[in-house]
């Protein structure tokens, strides 16, 4: 079995004392643990003796450079030239895939083998396919074990995988490029004189100043205007971006002041769209409601419209669909409704009825009076048909904080109610409950309010509300446009598609 490796070209490293030998295997003795090389080279110099024999104990590393095929016919004993082998004196290779009768001529040289290059350029190499050997890698490993049984011998796996080649692998032919040509290319690329390198740095700023960018762009824009074309990559004005609810085509400029009142407004508001909404005095607001009532917008209609808008706003403040859905029955919101014995209180009762119809737990506070307004009586009759709770004493109000407090205690005219004991008690309860407060149609800023509101809901047009009114909202109670004109107000609806809109102080 050891005879199968005869004729292989190997490189034997015997350490620093003996050096490196390269040659062709001429004999392998498994009994004496020796291997012989013919026409050897020692450290790159051809040996004077024709054959050298090594013991396994002297071998530090063994590399197989070439394995001869079964059909190789060597006509000389010199080593063939390979990409990792030794340049030989010259030999001919037997039949190969290049075709019968073709021989690969090697340059004749008796010089010593040079260092093996680690990287080769496959573009400048001719490839020769060696004959296929009839043994597998495992078969080769079994025979190499016969050479590595000694204690002092070791073979590295990386050296085996990188140096040894299977017979099926290709053997690239070494490029014929001479060292002189390589040197000339190096001189051409890196051979500039150091004295010729400029000492000063490149002036980028000065070079950039030579380019007049504004003039070039002006020339491009002039050409585009004449030809009617647009070049790619040239700067241009950014196109306007529109929201999903904006119209792209504008037929006329936008007028933001569409509501004009006959007298100077003490305070102005604006909507989310930028429309200006001026405030009106209490006298003008009262006149507007009376004229609308004369044309058919009765108090009952106004109460119903106010109750619907106020309940819609309250439902959104309570959480809307996230809070009020069948899956959150255990989180039923609670609203405390504080009403006085006047029209403002009737508006609050109407709001409580709609909230109770939407599965909100409503607690209505209304003090006991001997005689009530007809509008309050009618609203109480409707409220009694709901699941809402009516109380007349502050002691019956819940001690724990509620979700929302709706304030309808204050009135524009009857200021004497604030001196009543029940009013002061309710105000103290609301301030201690720490729940957010929504005021419906609060009085003007000159009149002091007992309860600070977080939100306030105005009807039709806002009054000049103070800072204690909180954030102001405006609701549409259905007053026609010609009714506004009749009282001297040039009116255009600011509501758009909504019935309740927020107002911002200007």
């Amino acid at each position: 079995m050891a005879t199968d490796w005869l004729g292989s070209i190997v490189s034997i490293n015997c350490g620093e004392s003996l050096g490196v030998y390269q040659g062709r295997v001429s004999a392998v003795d498994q009994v004496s643990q020796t291997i012989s090389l013919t026409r050897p080279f020692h450290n790159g110099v051809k040996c004077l003796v024709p054959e050298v024999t090594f013991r396994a104990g002297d071998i530090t590393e063994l590399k197989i450079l070439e394995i001869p095929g079964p059909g190789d016919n060597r006509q000389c004993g010199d080593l063939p030239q390979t990409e990792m082998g030794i340049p030989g004196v010259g030999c001919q290779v037997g039949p190969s895939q290049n075709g019968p009768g073709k021989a690969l001529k090697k340059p004749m040289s008796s010089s010593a083998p040079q260092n093996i290059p680690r990287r080769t350029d496959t573009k400048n190499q001719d490839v020769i396919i060696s004959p296929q050997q009839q043994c597998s890698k495992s078969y080769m490993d079994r025979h190499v074990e016969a050479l590595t049984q000694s204690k002092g011998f070791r073979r590295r796996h990386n050296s085996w995988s990188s140096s040894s080649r299977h017979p099926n692998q290709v053997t690239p032919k070494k490029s014929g490029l001479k060292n002189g040509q390589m040197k000339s290319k190096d001189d051409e690329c890196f051979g500039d004189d150091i004295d010729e390198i400029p000492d000063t740095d490149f002036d980028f700023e000065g070079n950039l100043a030579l380019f007049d960018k504004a003039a070039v762009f002006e020339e491009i824009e002039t050409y585009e205007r004449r030809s009617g074309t647009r070049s790619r990559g040239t700067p241009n004005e950014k196109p306007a971006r529109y929201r999903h609810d904006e119209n792209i085509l504008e037929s006329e400029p936008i007028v933001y002041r569409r509501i004009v009142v006959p007298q100077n407004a003490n305070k102005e508001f604006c909507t989310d769209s930028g429309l200006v909404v001026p405030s009106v005095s209490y006298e003008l607001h009262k006149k507007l409601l009376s004229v609308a009532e004369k044309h058919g917008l009765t108090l009952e209609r106004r109460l119903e419209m106010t109750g619907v808008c106020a309940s819609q706003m309250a439902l959104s403040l309570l959480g809307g669909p996230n809070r009020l859905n069948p899956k959150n029955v255990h989180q039923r919101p609670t609203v405390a409704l504080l009403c006085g014995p006047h029209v403002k209180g009737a508006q609050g009762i109407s709001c409580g009825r709609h909230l109770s119809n939407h599965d909100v737990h409503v607690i209505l506070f209304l003090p006991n009076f001997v005689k009530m307004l007809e509008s309050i009586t009618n609203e109480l009759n409707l409220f009694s048909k709901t699941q809402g709770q009516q109380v007349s004493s502050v002691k019956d109000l819940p001690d724990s904080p509620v979700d929302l407090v709706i304030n309808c205690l204050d009135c524009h005219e009857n200021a004497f109610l604030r001196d009543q004991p029940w009013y002061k008690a309710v105000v103290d309860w609301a301030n201690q409950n720490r729940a957010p407060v929504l005021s419906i149609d609060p009085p003007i800023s000159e009149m002091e309010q007992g309860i600070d509101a977080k939100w306030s809901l105005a009807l039709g047009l806002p009054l000049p509300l103070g800072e204690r009114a909180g954030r102001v909202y405006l609701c549409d109670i259905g007053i026609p446009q010609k009714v506004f004109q009749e009282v001297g107000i040039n009116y255009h609806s600011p509501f758009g598609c909504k019935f309740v809109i927020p107002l911002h102080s200007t």
Side-chain angles (χ1 to χ4, degrees), residues 230-247:
R230 163 119 170 90
S231 301
R232 298 180 59 185
T234 57
N236 196 3
E237 295 181 359
K238 294 183 179 180
R241 294 186 178 183
Y242 298 92
R243 299 196 309 268
H244 66 281
D245 57 348
E246 282 187 300
N247 188 12

Side-chain angles (χ1 to χ4, degrees), residues 86 239 329 383 470:
I86 312 166
V329 179
F383 182 80

Side-chain angles (χ1 to χ4, degrees), residues 87 93 103 157 171 220 240 249 460:
V93 182
H157 175 72
T171 305
I220 294 175
L249 301 178

Side-chain angles (χ1 to χ4, degrees), residues 68-136:
D72 289 350
N73 296 327
R74 304 287 179 179
Q75 295 183 4
C76 61
D78 295 324
L79 304 180
Q81 180 184 8
T82 62
E83 66 169 355
M84 299 180 64
I86 312 166
V89 179
C91 63
Q92 293 181 351
V93 182
S96 63
Q97 294 185 4
N98 292 332
K102 293 184 179 180
L104 180 63
K105 295 182 180 180
K106 302 293 180 178
M108 301 297 292
S109 174
S110 59
S111 61
Q114 300 179 358
N115 294 332
I116 301 173
R118 294 183 178 272
R119 301 180 63 181
T120 57
D121 190 0
T122 56
K123 294 183 179 180
N124 298 327
Q125 293 177 351
D126 297 331
V127 179
I128 301 175
I129 306 298
S130 61
Q132 182 177 4
Q133 192 177 11
Q134 300 298 327
C135 62
S136 62

Side-chain angles (χ1 to χ4, degrees), residues 168-413:
N168 291 335
Q169 293 180 341
V170 296
T171 305
K173 179 182 177 181
K174 195 171 184 179
S175 174
L177 190 62
K178 296 182 180 180
N179 293 335
Q181 297 177 355
M182 289 291 295
K183 186 176 181 180
S184 62
K185 289 187 176 182
D186 292 341
D187 294 340
E188 182 180 353
C189 184
F190 306 104
D192 293 341
D193 191 1
I194 300 179
D195 298 335
E196 298 179 0
I197 299 177
D199 297 333
T200 59
D201 295 335
F202 181 75
D203 188 6
F204 289 95
E205 185 177 358
N207 189 38
L208 184 60
L210 300 176
F211 174 67
D212 192 356
K213 183 168 61 174
V216 174
F217 284 149
E218 183 179 0
E219 182 181 356
I220 294 175
E221 292 176 359
T222 303
Y223 172 77
E224 291 176 356
R225 286 194 297 267
R226 293 178 179 177
S227 59
T229 59
R230 163 119 170 90
S231 301
R232 298 180 59 185
T234 57
N236 196 3
E237 295 181 359
K238 294 183 179 180
R241 294 186 178 183
Y242 298 92
R243 299 196 309 268
H244 66 281
D245 57 348
E246 282 187 300
N247 188 12
I248 297 177
L249 301 178
E250 297 181 0
S251 58
E252 57 185 14
I254 301 176
V255 178
Y256 292 100
R257 189 176 294 274
R258 298 183 179 182
I259 302 176
V260 180
V261 295
Q263 56 188 3
N264 294 330
N266 296 332
K267 192 173 184 180
E268 289 186 343
F269 302 89
C270 65
T271 64
D272 292 338
S273 302
L275 300 178
V276 179
V277 179
S279 63
V280 295
S281 62
Y282 172 70
E283 290 75 13
L284 183 59
H285 192 272
K286 183 178 179 180
K287 181 179 179 180
L288 176 64
L289 296 180
S290 62
V291 173
E293 186 175 359
K294 183 181 66 175
H295 289 285
L297 187 61
T298 61
L299 177 61
E300 289 77 10
R301 288 187 175 184
R302 193 170 76 241
L303 293 177
E304 187 69 18
M305 195 67 186
T306 303
V308 171
C309 293
S311 62
Q312 286 182 354
M313 182 176 177
L315 290 175
S316 63
L317 295 177
L318 291 172
N322 297 325
R323 180 78 180 273
L324 300 169
N325 60 66
K327 296 181 181 180
N328 287 338
V329 179
H330 60 286
Q331 295 182 352
R332 184 183 178 187
T334 301
V335 174
L337 188 60
L338 311 179
C339 298
H342 39 66
V343 177
K344 307 300 179 185
Q347 295 174 354
I349 299 173
S350 175
C351 174
R353 169 168 55 88
H354 290 288
L355 289 177
S356 183
N357 290 338
H358 287 266
D359 202 20
V360 177
H361 183 209
V362 179
I363 302 176
L364 170 62
F365 171 81
L366 182 66
N368 289 325
F369 279 85
V370 178
K371 186 177 181 181
M372 292 284 187
L373 295 177
E374 182 180 0
S375 58
I376 294 180
T377 304
N378 295 335
E379 291 296 334
L380 283 177
N381 291 334
L382 291 175
F383 182 80
S384 63
K385 304 301 179 181
T386 65
Q387 298 294 329
Q389 179 184 357
Q390 180 183 355
V391 297
S392 58
S393 176
V394 180
K395 299 179 180 179
D396 297 332
L397 292 174
D399 297 331
S400 59
V402 295
D403 295 284
L404 181 65
V405 173
I406 299 179
N407 180 21
C408 297
L409 294 174
D410 299 312
C411 181
H412 297 285
E413 298 175 351

Side-chain angles (χ1 to χ4, degrees), residues 1-8 25 27-30 67 133 135-147 149:
M1 298 173 63
T3 58
D4 295 336
W5 301 100
L6 298 179
S8 300
V25 179
V28 177
D29 190 356
Q30 298 182 5
I67 302 174
Q133 192 177 11
C135 62
S136 62
K137 183 178 180 182
S138 60
Y139 180 78
M140 295 162 51
D141 293 337
R142 289 198 301 269
H143 293 295
V144 175
E145 289 293 337
L147 300 175
Q149 293 177 359

